[in-house]
Amino acid sequence: MTDGITAYGSMNEHIAAAAIKAGRAPESVTLVAVTKTHGPELIRPLLEAGHRVFGENRVQEAQGKWPELRKAFPGIELHLIGPLQSNKAREAVALFDVIESVDRDKIAAALAAEMKRQQKSPKLYVQVNTGLEPQKAGVPPSEVGVFLKRIRHEHGLELEGLMCIPPAEDQPAQHFALLARLARENGLAVISMGMSGDYEEAIAHGATHIRVGSALFGARS
Ligand SMILES: *Cc1c(COP(=O)(O)O)cnc(C)c1O
């Protein structure tokens, strides 16, 4: 797995360079290593190198590999970056430290109930559908402020950040700028945006969390 470690090393250098170029501290950007579809044999080398922040897009898949890795490597921070169904809220609250895909009242209600029941408070981000794509999850940009207020009042949930996945066919810059502006307007410190192909641009626009899979682990089959 020398390859994975080499990619990880150069990724950290690229992140630091992009941050400095944007006048930001390299530590202000967190790399969420996206391990969906990959097994522990690809994940372990990163854990052994000291990396602790990972992302998965499916609850069930994450349940199959992370409990064991957590036992072996203390301090893991696991992010759910894929859509969440309310009937999976129990498992999601039990397994994840950060849930990036809150986008509906029903999900917020289910999460609030589970967080109370389990006495566990994963950090929560709102997914924003910056491209208003009908097939994509996320709150429309114009409704983010109202959504945040409503789930604060109705469920007592404080959300920490915003997340987006720009349309594949668009230049990502306009979407990154929009998400950063929405975070600023709503007083949110966390901005999760940027993937393998565009993380440097996301950092230039203020991303605090970038979600990178294939640039670290190779193409997914
Ligand atoms: C898979 C995935 C990523 C990582 O994508 P790469 O292009 O492999 O870096 C980032 N965010 C989300 C929500 C994903 O599902």
Side-chain angles (χ1 to χ4, degrees), residues 34 36 57 81-82 163 165 194-197 211-215 220:
V34 176
K36 64 187 185 201
N57 71 334
I81 61 173
M163 176 272 227
I165 310 169
M195 319 201 306
S196 289
R211 310 177 308 268
V212 176
S214 46
R220 289 176 290 272

Side-chain angles (χ1 to χ4, degrees), residues 11 32-36 38 55-58 80-83 100-101 127 163-165 192-199 210-220:
M11 172 71 49
V32 180
V34 176
T35 50
K36 64 187 185 201
H38 298 305
E56 289 279 347
N57 71 334
R58 293 180 61 234
L80 177 62
I81 61 173
E100 299 204 11
S101 48
Q127 182 169 349
M163 176 272 227
C164 77
I165 310 169
S192 172
M193 59 188 186
M195 319 201 306
S196 289
D198 54 22
Y199 67 90
I210 56 171
R211 310 177 308 268
V212 176
S214 46
L216 282 171
F217 302 109
R220 289 176 290 272

Side-chain angles (χ1 to χ4, degrees), residues 41-68:
E41 69 288 352
L42 245 72
I43 304 173
R44 278 182 174 269
L46 251 69
L47 285 160
E48 278 154 12
H51 194 76
R52 287 295 180 270
V53 186
F54 294 88
E56 289 279 347
N57 71 334
R58 293 180 61 234
V59 175
Q60 210 162 348
E61 182 188 339
Q63 271 178 323
K65 53 186 155 177
W66 283 99
E68 206 158 314

Side-chain angles (χ1 to χ4, degrees), residues 7-219:
Y8 177 61
S10 72
M11 172 71 49
N12 281 326
E13 284 171 21
H14 282 113
I15 292 168
I20 288 164
K21 196 173 159 198
R24 305 177 51 196
E27 312 80 62
S28 68
V29 182
T30 299
L31 169 62
V32 180
V34 176
T35 50
K36 64 187 185 201
T37 76
H38 298 305
E41 69 288 352
L42 245 72
I43 304 173
R44 278 182 174 269
L46 251 69
L47 285 160
E48 278 154 12
H51 194 76
R52 287 295 180 270
V53 186
F54 294 88
E56 289 279 347
N57 71 334
R58 293 180 61 234
V59 175
Q60 210 162 348
E61 182 188 339
Q63 271 178 323
K65 53 186 155 177
W66 283 99
E68 206 158 314
L69 290 166
R70 269 194 196 283
K71 274 188 216 140
F73 298 92
I76 287 171
E77 181 180 295
L78 194 58
H79 290 229
L80 177 62
I81 61 173
L84 177 61
Q85 255 115 46
S86 49
N87 63 2
K88 286 274 170 28
R90 179 160 302 183
E91 287 91 337
V93 168
L95 184 61
F96 290 94
D97 305 290
V98 181
I99 297 173
E100 299 204 11
S101 48
V102 181
D103 70 345
R104 272 167 294 151
D105 291 77
K106 198 175 168 200
I107 293 295
L111 289 172
E114 275 310 317
M115 287 164 65
K116 197 168 172 204
R117 204 184 68 88
Q118 299 184 31
Q119 290 294 301
K120 202 169 171 273
S121 305
K123 294 176 180 165
L124 306 175
Y125 310 165
V126 177
Q127 182 169 349
V128 183
N129 190 355
T130 57
L132 293 171
E133 294 173 282
Q135 82 285 8
K136 204 168 267 176
V139 177
S142 61
E143 290 171 27
V144 169
V146 174
F147 181 72
L148 284 166
K149 280 204 194 82
R150 196 169 60 233
I151 62 177
R152 186 179 301 138
H153 286 142
E154 288 182 11
H155 306 296
L157 293 180
E158 286 299 335
L159 279 82
E160 304 204 356
L162 301 180
M163 176 272 227
C164 77
I165 310 169
E169 66 280 8
D170 276 12
Q171 293 292 332
Q174 65 191 84
H175 298 275
F176 294 159
L178 172 59
L179 198 71
R181 177 168 66 75
L182 289 169
R184 205 166 47 240
E185 286 173 359
N186 289 285
L188 300 175
V190 171
I191 307 173
S192 172
M193 59 188 186
M195 319 201 306
S196 289
D198 54 22
Y199 67 90
E200 286 163 309
E201 199 162 1
I203 291 169
H205 282 90
T208 62
H209 291 67
I210 56 171
R211 310 177 308 268
V212 176
S214 46
L216 282 171
F217 302 109

